Every structure is written in C-alpha cells, then in structure tokens.
Amino acid sequence: MQNLWFDPTEMLIGGVWKAPAGTLPVIDPSTGAEVAQIAAGTAADIDAAVIAARAALDGDWGRMTALERGRILTRLGQMVLERIDDLAAIEAADVGKPLTQARNDAIALARYCEFYGGAADKVHGQTIPYLDGYTVYTLREPHGVTGHIVPWNYPMQIIGRSVGAALAMGNAAVLKPAEEACLTALAFARLAADAGLPPGALNVVPGLGAQAGAALTAHPGVQHVSFTGSVATGRLVQAAAAQNVVPVTLELGGKSPQVVFADADLDAALPFLVNAGIQNAGQTCSASSRILVERPLYDALVAGMSAAYGRLHVGPAVADLQVGPLISARQKEIVTGFIDAGRDLPVLATGTLADDLPTGGHYVAPHLLACDDPGHKLAQDEIFGPVQVIIPFDTEDQAVQIANGTAYGLVAAIWSRDGGRQARMAKRLHAGQVFINNYGAGGGVELPFGGTGLSGHGREKGFEALYGFSSLKTVAQYHG
Ligand code: NAD
C-alpha cells in the first residue's frame, strides 16, 4: 500500500512502535488480494500495553490538566482532517468501503476529536447542600486503564467515539482493533503521537479476538471495557470483565425498524428507507433491515423502494458506487445464507452487480423482500448485509408490537405527519435512539447512542460517554 505514514506490521506500546512475534494478512475485500501484514498481538503484548498505560497515568499523562488533554484532542482532529483522503483510501483498501463513505468516516473521526477535545474541561461535579458543618461535592475521575475492542465495520467512527471520550476524561487506553480492520487504528495512533499525546496514553495492539481481545478483557489491570461487536462476543467480554468486577459498555447488534404510516411524506422517506439498509453494504449495527408500512401506503412504498433498488450498483471500493463488497468470504457466506433462508419470500427488487467485478471480491446484490410474517428469520435476525424486508401493518398497536417484537433495541424511526402519533410512538418503541421523519440524524457525534435488550447497554457518543468513561467520587468535608 502507498502513502502510509506508519509501518502496518508494528504495534504501539508505551510510545514505542514494536515488531510483533507473528503477523496476519490484510485482505482487500474488493479484490481478495493481500495488501499488507499486521501484527498478531499476543497476551504478552496486551500485558505490556496495560503496564504502559498504567505508567502513563502515573506519569505525564496523568498530570495533564483537562484543558491540555482537550487541546491535544482538538489538534488531533485537525490532523485527521488534513489526512482525510489518505485515511479514506486506506480504509477503502482495508475494509472495502466505497471512498465517499470511507471519507465520511474520517470526517466523523475528526469530529469526535474536536467534540471531545472541546468537552474535556467541561465535565463538572456538583456541590450538594448537606448537614450543618459539612461541604459536600462530587469529582469526576478517570477509571484508569480502559480497554477498547472495536469491530471492522466502522473502525474510524468507533475508535473516535470510544477512545476520544476515554482520553478526554484522562483515562489511558489500550485499543484492540478488529483483525480485519487495523490500518486506520494504527494511522490514527501515529497522528495522535504527532499531536502531542504522551507515550502510553494510547496503545494499539492488533490481533485475533480470541487471543489479544480475550487477554485485554480479562486483564486485571484494566478498569473499564468498551466493546463494540457481536452479541456472542459481547457475552464473553461481559463474563470476562465480571471476574475483575469492572464496568463494561456493550454496543452490539440490531434489527432496527422504520415505521411508515399512511400519512407519511413518502418522497422524503424513500432515500432514508433505502440508504439505511444498504449503507456500508448493510454492515451497520443501526442498519434498518425492517420496513414496517401501514397497509394503504404499501403499494406506493414498494414501488418507490423497488425503483430505488433498481438504481443501486455494487462494485469495488475505488469505483465508489452506492454499495461495495462485504468484508470477507465468510460474511458473504452468512448473507447469502440469509437470502437462501428467504426463498419463500417474494423478491421485490435487487441491485445490480457491476460488470467485470474482480473475481476474488466478496460481492452480494442488495435484496428487497416482501414479508407478511414478522416472526420470519429474515424479520428477526441481524443479517449484516444489504437485505431489507417490508412488513405491512394495520394499526398503531400492531406497528408497535411488530417493531418491538425482536430481541434487539438499537434504533427505530417513525414516519408520520401526526404529532400525537410521533410522540406516542417515540415513547413506546424499544430503542436507544428514535428518529422522527429522518433516520440517523446525520450520525451526530453529539447524540448519545446505545441499545436495549440484545443491542447492549451503556451509552457512547455525546456528553453521556464522558460520564461512562469516568467514575464519580463524593467528598464530604466536615469543618464544623
Ligand atoms: P465480533 O464480535 O466478531 O468482533 C468484534 C471485536 O471483538 C473484534 O475486534 C474481535 O477481534 C473481538 N473479539 C472476538 N472474539 C473476542 C473475544 N473472545 N474476546 C474479546 N474480543 C474478541 O463482531 P464483528 O463481526 O467484528 O462486528 C459485527 C457485529 O458488531 C454486528 O453484530 C454489529 O451489529 C455489531 N456492531 C455494533 C455497533 C454498535 O455501536 N452497536 C457498531 C458496529 C458493529
């Protein structure tokens, strides 16, 4: 790969770039070709990183004021902005993300650095009126060493929201990126050092989940774990952290519905209905894979979405079409398995694979399916690919029942012109975020994000993350 300002095979531990004992291949999902090698970090590397993080807390990093931490993050955001095109190109080659979408991720990473840079010195404690002779106040303190385990689908955004908030609060971070997506994590760490982040404040150890990841979540020197990934791994992470009795944030999967009532502005809704299903080839935790529509609007909505699917093209990341490849051969197998499991459902429309696709790439055409049965596997399970089902409903109560009728609860949207209905539905839907007449609200870094049910617990993004990445101390001073 060209234009790298870091050696992709190295790990960052205590401010030193170290060669690993072994490496893993980096496969370009658009072509199937190996484009680099990354470190296969071990439990010993994780141990060294945790020790380095603790040393940073006991050293320069731990002594920095909130203002100084904020300035470093703000400077880092600026440096990310200056490298947007390079970061986008690296991400496109690493995870197959179409360039425009990869660019948006880099912009979001910069935005997280700016937001948390600005917020670092604005997290205040309280004074609490108490008994005569006492002054009582609260302090927000860093947890200490924070472990960050990140998936491959939005590496830059998820690193920004979790590492950015942790550093703003004065924690020292050990980051274990996904084995399929380490390059922008390393690129970011290099920029962070150049921005003035002291050695050990951010350590990056790439490696396999079962090795480096498991070692990080079980390490007794880690005081908080932030995990974003699958439900199955989330369970392991929570169980491992429980042994050390440390807090865990779990940002897991979803089966997010958009509920479209007959009075909705369909023209306004259509781009959101489709894009929320196919963005990043559907490999998005908050993908909207279920479209619930009130029956009188059913035919018009099916016609509109089908026409939009007809305009979707799938190709390599550098072609920058609407849809890129899936991350891996395994993910393609999972998604095509779901499409097979939906053979009993009418296919309303599909996207189009570009001509002359590289044979080693992992391409799947987007599928839009009709589904009368909200209990169907495709209406219940997270697919993590470009597949959406349309489910009709007849009443508001039925819409709520279907929307809440999965084990997940990440995000949901309501499309209606009726203010009363908007408010009722927003209260009744099980989700960490509810959108009214939009979907995703542009992804705002300011907006607290997280799930209920199998979608996880804890909140990242916004100011809420700063509370999550800190611990509250109450000081009661008796002075008579
Ligand atoms: P995954 O659980 O397989 O992997 C996520 C991370 O966990 C990777 O870094 C992996 O190396 C690590 N890991 C694997 N086994 C581990 C172990 N035993 N101990 C510690 N770490 C381990 O998930 P994935 O396939 O990379 O990501 C897809 C899933 O992530 C989907 O379910 C998606 O919905 C979810 N996701 C959620 C959000 C959110 O914010 N809620 C965002 C993105 C992705």
Side-chain angles (χ1 to χ4, degrees), residues 92-358:
D94 199 8
V95 304
K97 199 170 282 221
L99 280 169
T100 301
Q101 295 180 39
R103 214 170 177 278
N104 289 340
D105 284 5
I107 293 169
L109 172 60
R111 190 61 201 108
Y112 280 113
C113 294
E114 290 169 348
F115 179 83
Y116 287 119
D121 61 352
K122 294 170 190 68
V123 179
H124 303 149
Q126 298 173 314
T127 54
I128 301 172
Y130 194 55
L131 302 176
D132 189 33
Y134 282 87
T135 296
V136 180
Y137 55 93
T138 59
L139 299 172
R140 283 252 162 223
E141 298 180 334
H143 290 297
V145 178
T146 51
H148 304 257
I149 300 192
V150 170
W152 42 261
N153 59 343
Y154 287 84
M156 285 193 275
Q157 295 214 32
I158 296 169
I159 289 168
R161 78 184 188 200
S162 116
V163 171
L167 293 178
M169 288 311 296
N171 299 282
V174 178
L175 167 63
K176 207 298 284 174
E179 47 271 47
E180 302 88 346
C182 288
L183 298 184
T184 49
L186 296 164
F188 176 71
R190 184 92 221 189
L191 292 179
D194 293 346
L197 197 67
L202 170 61
N203 306 273
V204 184
V205 181
L208 295 172
Q211 293 168 13
L216 180 57
T217 51
H219 200 292
V222 171
Q223 281 81 42
H224 180 282
V225 179
S226 161
F227 172 78
T228 306
S230 63
V231 175
T233 311
R235 288 194 172 107
L236 295 176
V237 168
Q238 180 154 343
Q243 295 307 308
N244 297 321
V245 196
V246 295
V248 179
T249 304
L250 294 183
E251 300 275 7
L252 310 179
K255 192 70 191 169
S256 301
Q258 298 199 61
V259 185
V260 190
F261 286 93
D263 68 340
D265 179 345
L266 184 59
D267 288 341
L270 278 171
F272 291 92
L273 298 179
V274 174
N275 195 46
I278 58 93
Q279 181 178 314
N280 199 30
Q283 304 167 118
T284 303
C285 54
S286 55
S288 177
S289 49
R290 295 187 294 155
I291 306 298
L292 279 50
V293 57
E294 199 172 10
R295 215 172 287 271
L297 197 65
Y298 183 85
D299 289 343
L301 181 139
V302 165
M305 285 191 73
S306 300
Y309 264 65
R311 294 189 292 273
L312 293 177
H313 290 88
V314 185
V318 286
D320 204 19
L321 304 174
Q322 297 94 335
V323 183
L326 299 178
I327 185 75
S328 62
R330 165 142 178 71
Q331 192 65 20
K332 180 175 173 180
E333 200 180 292
I334 292 171
V335 174
T336 49
F338 273 107
I339 294 171
D340 285 348
R343 271 193 308 267
D344 56 324
L345 303 178
V347 178
L348 299 169
T350 62
T352 308
L353 298 183
D355 295 334
D356 302 327
L357 284 175

